[in-house]
Amino acid sequence: MTDAADAGTPTPDSGTVAGSAGVVDRGTVPERDPGLVGRVSATVGRSVITALLAVTVVFLIAPVVITFVASFAVEWTGVVPSGGVTFDNWRQALGLTETLGATRGLGGQLSLLGVTLPIPTTLGFSMLLALGGVVVNLVVGVPVAYAVTRYDFYGRGWLNTFAVLPVVPGIILGIAFLRTYPSLPSAVALMVGYSLLKAPYMVLAVQSSFESMDLRQIEESARSLGASWPRTLLTVVVPNAKTGIISGSIVCWTLAAAEFNFSYIVYSRGPKPFSLFLFENISNNPFLRASAAISIYFLIVVAVTALLQATGQRGFSIGGAR
Amino acid sequence: MSTLDRWRVLDRVRGGTASLLDPVTERDRERRRIAALAVPFLALALFGAFIPIVVMFRMSVSTSNLAIEGVSFVAYERLFASMLAFVPVLGDGVGADPVYGVVIWNSLWFGVLTTLASVVVGVALAHGLEKYDLPRQGLLVTLISFPISLPGIVAAFMMIVWFGKTGVLTNAFAFLSGADPGGIALTGQPSGTTLAILGLFLGYLYSMIPRATFLLRGSYAEVNTDAEEAARALGATPWQTFRYVTLPQIRPGIVGALILTFRTALAIFGTVLVLKALSVVTFRFNQEISVGFDLAMASALAAVFFVFTVVFTFAGLRYTSAEVTG
């Protein structure tokens, strides 16, 4: 009994190798008596943490719901909205009316190859920009994720670090772009920046897919059956990682569409990115119209989250989202 | 001996390049594959990050704001004089304007405060999500991860929804206490006031708590639950189990989360731009660039900011969790 208790004493088994015996000698082993903290935490600890979870979820999500509801309100002066339901805020935010507010909105309809789509220009343009970023991300992120997962080579650790850690913050990159590429069209600069800033999400997502496969075996089977290496990569390995690739693309696309810090510094001319449109709405427009503008983005995120659930991802939780 | 070594290295480099282009052995072919896989990423990193950063450093010592020409350390002199002027005793004799010292100090203390708060909350949330049998757990995870997708400007708007002059909580509180909503709102107050800073603090937490929680959930997933169960079975209270069994296991994760969350805190820009509650470094960039176009100064400040983040990230990660750097 005593033996078992001694052997089972929870000795902190962390990185503190030096002096771990000394720690035991000095008696930091827990007392038999749980003490006040122990008794309090045993009785209320669980309810406190559960309550904290509930408060946090309300703190994070309630304003999203309120914003969405407010976007349909005619008036909102007190605690609750009044005056019934209207779609005016949405119409103005989407730029579907010919008013002053609408010119600040998404403005006009997207014309592509002579066909006018019922998509507001800014929204459509931003979505395309973000899509461009995702394409670059795919070309860049999938191979590097494969290289660091499958092969062992000199500098692998560093390559991995730079691929999964956004080393340069968006605002710094923006300032660096100002002088480096002054004559580059805003659209191209934004696309390059988006792909660089969001690459970690793609790499992490694809890596987790690769890690769940026996890459060596798959590759060797395909090779021994006569497939060349590029063919193996493109027709065997990559299709197997499609879950990670799809969820990585969705996450990258959404985050790129809403990237603000970099866009704000770099954007100079041409169609405006969506995040700048959101910023103008937040800083210049009345509360209810800004609500409608932000709700557009909420709808996109909700749709994207539903898509992610379908691919087996729980929301935007890839790799802790750095 | 050393000369011989150097020749051998040169030969190896030359031989390496040749075998990359025209591989003979299977090992050479594998090296060529690795190079081919890494090249797109390296090209993006080179043109998208490395060259711009080098140009930024060059710009910070330029004599002109509109082009790169000459070498002058005026921007750095102003920056460091200003930082020195801010230091209480040492800076008394320095005649410089302490504005950069102030913004850097604001960034640091506010970043540390918000980081500590969000990591503490993050540990509690990750613990609850991982250890408790909660109803609709998947939904909870999805909801808590939702703000990760929101840019800082939207986080700021969420604070206006809660705590602005027309905000829900402000008005509810004003209704209950009879106070004037304008007097107790946490947003829209003059910059630097306690109420404004409290509003910004909550705005930072809105972005940082979800990130911290998901970083820590990763550490929690690797905790050895057998040891915890053994501790409980041997009579340890839940707190003792957490303190002596769980905490030592997640400690590297907590340090990693502190570092990465602090990086996030330093880089937050949109939230400050909308709420205008405290002049931090990122907010100063906006003033340098949009108010007076002082790109040399902005570049110098950005260079200091960049070096600081890189150094503390890599130093921190080196000493804590080897897994990030491999």
Side-chain angles (χ1 to χ4, degrees):
Chain A
M1 183 68 194
T2 27
D3 276 345
D6 280 341
T9 304
T11 314
D13 188 23
S14 64
T16 56
V17 182
S20 68
V23 171
V24 174
D25 286 345
R26 279 202 304 276
T28 43
V29 174
E31 295 284 321
R32 208 70 195 132
D33 175 37
L36 188 62
V37 183
R39 274 195 293 273
V40 170
S41 84
T43 43
V44 300
R46 180 170 287 244
S47 15
V48 166
I49 289 184
T50 314
L52 185 67
L53 256 171
V55 169
T56 311
V57 170
V58 171
F59 173 70
L60 298 177
I61 300 303
V64 174
V65 177
I66 294 169
T67 306
F68 192 69
V69 173
S71 68
F72 294 104
V74 174
E75 207 179 2
W76 194 315
T77 43
V79 181
V80 286
S82 54
V85 175
T86 174
F87 290 98
D88 278 356
N89 300 316
W90 278 82
R91 236 172 266 141
Q92 301 234 349
L94 286 167
L96 301 179
T97 52
E98 301 295 323
T99 59
L100 185 68
T103 55
R104 233 190 245 145
L106 290 165
Q109 316 245 302
L110 186 71
S111 297
L112 201 66
L113 307 171
V115 187
T116 305
L117 302 167
I119 302 171
T121 315
T122 305
L123 197 59
F125 177 71
S126 267
M127 304 298 119
L128 286 179
L129 263 190
L131 202 62
V134 170
V135 171
V136 177
N137 260 338
L138 281 173
V139 173
V140 160
V142 177
V144 85
Y146 184 67
V148 295
T149 321
R150 166 69 178 82
Y151 297 108
D152 204 4
F153 52 94
Y154 181 77
R156 172 174 166 271
W158 284 106
L159 186 63
N160 190 25
T161 305
F162 282 104
V164 301
L165 200 70
V167 180
V168 194
I171 187 160
I172 302 287
L173 195 66
I175 290 169
F177 264 53
L178 281 182
R179 182 51 60 216
T180 317
Y181 305 120
S183 54
L184 205 63
S186 292
V188 179
L190 288 173
M191 224 186 279
V192 172
Y194 289 163
S195 58
L196 192 84
L197 292 168
K198 307 305 170 195
Y201 296 91
M202 177 68 83
V203 175
L204 283 169
V206 178
Q207 236 176 6
S208 73
S209 237
F210 280 146
E211 271 162 10
S212 66
M213 304 156 38
D214 190 346
L215 283 178
R216 182 179 284 269
Q217 203 189 354
I218 291 174
E219 198 184 299
E220 277 167 9
S221 310
R223 294 299 309 279
S224 69
L225 290 168
S228 65
W229 182 76
R231 194 189 153 113
T232 308
L233 184 69
L234 292 175
T235 62
V236 179
V237 173
V238 169
N240 264 306
K242 86 171 169 281
T243 325
I245 293 174
I246 292 172
S247 60
S249 307
I250 296 173
V251 168
C252 284
W253 181 81
T254 319
L255 293 178
E259 208 295 326
F260 175 74
N261 299 0
F262 176 76
S263 318
Y264 179 80
I265 301 284
V266 164
Y267 170 77
S268 57
R269 59 193 180 276
K272 216 174 275 157
F274 184 62
S275 54
L276 292 189
F277 153 79
L278 284 182
F279 177 65
E280 284 191 359
N281 267 283
I282 290 171
S283 47
N284 299 331
N285 278 351
F287 178 77
L288 297 179
R289 204 175 311 144
S291 301
I294 293 174
S295 298
I296 298 171
Y297 182 63
F298 286 159
L299 287 183
I300 294 174
V301 175
V302 168
V304 157
T305 308
L307 271 176
L308 282 174
Q309 303 280 21
T311 66
Q313 268 284 337
R314 285 221 187 288
F316 285 81
S317 51
I318 288 180
R322 286 133 189 190
Chain B
M1 187 68 194
S2 63
T3 333
L4 267 177
D5 274 351
R6 208 170 299 143
W7 276 116
R8 207 172 295 154
V9 168
L10 272 181
D11 272 349
R12 272 184 57 191
V13 170
R14 201 175 301 139
T17 332
S19 68
L20 267 188
L21 296 174
D22 183 22
V24 180
T25 62
E26 181 58 25
R27 189 158 163 275
D28 284 344
R29 280 196 205 98
E30 187 177 298
R31 279 180 36 213
R32 184 170 70 166
R33 280 168 207 154
I34 294 168
L37 290 168
V39 155
F41 177 78
L42 293 178
L44 179 69
L46 179 69
F47 290 106
F50 187 75
I51 293 178
I53 293 289
V54 169
V55 172
M56 184 184 84
F57 273 90
R58 179 66 189 89
M59 187 62 214
S60 67
V61 293
S62 167
T63 47
S64 160
N65 267 317
L66 302 172
I68 292 176
E69 52 189 39
V71 175
S72 110
F73 292 93
V74 174
Y76 284 102
E77 275 162 24
R78 269 175 64 206
L79 188 58
F80 288 115
S82 168
M83 281 158 73
L84 193 64
F86 177 72
V87 180
V89 181
L90 275 175
D92 287 347
V94 182
D97 180 7
V99 61
Y100 297 106
V102 172
V103 295
I104 290 171
W105 168 243
N106 282 342
S107 263
L108 290 177
W109 75 260
F110 199 66
V112 168
L113 206 65
T114 47
T115 303
L116 289 177
S118 44
V119 169
V120 167
V121 174
V123 170
L125 296 187
H127 190 89
L129 286 174
E130 203 65 29
K131 301 284 171 211
Y132 299 169
D133 258 337
L134 297 163
R136 311 298 307 273
Q137 189 163 358
L139 182 68
L140 279 179
V141 171
T142 307
L143 288 180
I144 294 179
S145 78
F146 185 82
I148 293 176
S149 63
L150 303 181
I153 44 171
V154 176
F157 190 78
M158 300 293 98
M159 291 306 105
I160 295 174
V161 169
W162 270 135
F163 307 110
K165 198 173 170 188
T166 56
V168 176
L169 278 188
T170 312
N171 277 286
F173 193 73
F175 179 75
L176 292 176
S177 67
D180 169 35
I184 54 169
L186 297 183
T187 66
Q189 302 283 4
S191 172
T193 55
T194 315
L195 286 176
I197 292 176
L198 188 59
L200 187 68
F201 179 76
L202 292 165
Y204 267 51
L205 288 195
Y206 190 91
S207 315
M208 289 160 65
I209 286 177
R211 288 175 168 81
T213 306
F214 283 96
L215 284 170
L216 288 159
R217 242 169 74 85
S219 315
Y220 257 100
E222 288 163 17
V223 167
N224 176 0
T225 47
D226 291 349
E228 289 178 332
E229 277 163 22
R232 294 284 283 135
L234 289 166
T237 61
W239 171 253
Q240 283 174 328
T241 311
F242 176 74
R243 171 68 186 77
Y244 293 100
V245 183
T246 316
L247 191 60
Q249 292 188 60
I250 61 168
R251 193 175 291 140
I254 290 180
V255 179
L258 282 172
I259 293 168
L260 294 171
T261 317
F262 186 54
R263 285 171 52 91
T264 310
L266 287 183
I268 286 180
F269 171 59
T271 316
V272 196
L273 189 64
V274 173
L275 295 180
K276 292 190 174 62
L278 185 69
S279 186
V280 294
V281 173
T282 47
F283 189 61
R284 188 72 206 175
F285 285 136
N286 180 45
Q287 282 164 303
E288 296 291 346
I289 287 174
S290 1
V291 181
F293 189 77
D294 193 347
L295 193 57
M297 193 63 215
S299 298
L301 193 58
V304 171
F305 183 105
F306 177 70
V307 169
F308 177 75
T309 27
V310 167
V311 166
F312 97 76
T313 307
F314 284 104
L317 294 178
R318 259 267 106 99
Y319 285 114
T320 53
S321 67
E323 68 193 67
V324 179
T325 46

